[in-house]
Amino acid sequence: MGTCAVPASVDGGTGPLTVDDAMVLALAEATAAAALGDVPVGAVALVDGMVVAARHNEREQRGNPTAHAEILALADAAVVLGTWRLSEVTLVVTLEPCPMCAGALVAARAGRLVFGAADPKAGACGSLYNLCADPRLNHELPVTAGVRADESAALLTDFFDARRKTVT
């Protein structure tokens, strides 16, 4: 989807999105990543319920280990908003961010994180670590977990099941 500076909603309207509506868009981004052979993770950056960026993982496409959906969405949001301080941004992502992405949220001074599925192997926002709520860091942000978690987890499970079938 890339960046957009106009309001967007799942029903074609132009009103502010709820985090549930934004997660529907993030799931669509994740589906696009899977279609390109990348791990299905999608992220949507909102300001006052309006989409300012929407991205999916592009590690395979770019050959870049840092091309996670969250990093790309934060970078696009910074361009749209004209600042690296993203205190007004709510990032909605299908999978709990890894340490790199959680660190980027803290560094960007993001306003809020909403994620779908927990990541017990690499999650840094409550599962393995809790970088977004570590008082030793220079910024903390509220985290809401579990929004459309089953749908997010199903995309990941289906993707990795399909990969295992092609390897065997």
Side-chain angles (χ1 to χ4, degrees):
M1 181 173 173
T3 62
C4 63
V6 296
S9 70
V10 295
D11 63 3
T14 58
L17 297 179
T18 66
V19 293
D20 191 70
D21 291 338
M23 188 62 79
V24 170
L25 297 176
L27 286 162
E29 287 288 333
T31 301
L36 295 170
D38 217 320
V39 176
V41 177
V44 174
L46 301 175
V47 174
D48 296 326
M50 304 300 176
V51 176
V52 294
R55 297 297 291 265
H56 54 75
N57 275 358
E58 294 183 12
R59 292 182 307 167
E60 298 297 333
Q61 181 182 348
R62 294 178 179 222
N64 181 341
T66 67
H68 288 207
E70 302 96 321
I71 300 289
L72 298 172
L74 290 172
D76 287 353
V79 170
V80 169
L81 299 172
T83 182
W84 65 267
R85 289 180 181 88
L86 302 180
S87 60
E88 302 301 314
V89 171
T90 295
L91 189 71
V92 179
V93 62
T94 57
L95 180 65
E96 179 182 0
C98 69
M100 176 181 69
C101 294
L105 285 159
V106 170
R109 315 296 198 272
R112 180 180 177 204
L113 168 67
V114 175
F115 70 83
D119 186 350
K121 293 184 179 181
C125 301
S127 289
L128 288 180
Y129 309 102
N130 203 348
L131 294 179
C132 294
D134 189 330
R136 297 170 297 177
L137 298 175
N138 63 348
H139 178 69
E140 294 179 62
L141 60 142
V143 175
T144 302
V147 176
R148 293 185 174 258
D150 291 344
E151 293 169 66
S152 298
L155 274 176
L156 291 157
T157 299
D158 292 349
F159 177 80
F160 287 113
D161 284 350
R163 272 216 160 148
R164 280 189 278 281
K165 288 178 185 170
T166 60
V167 172
T168 57

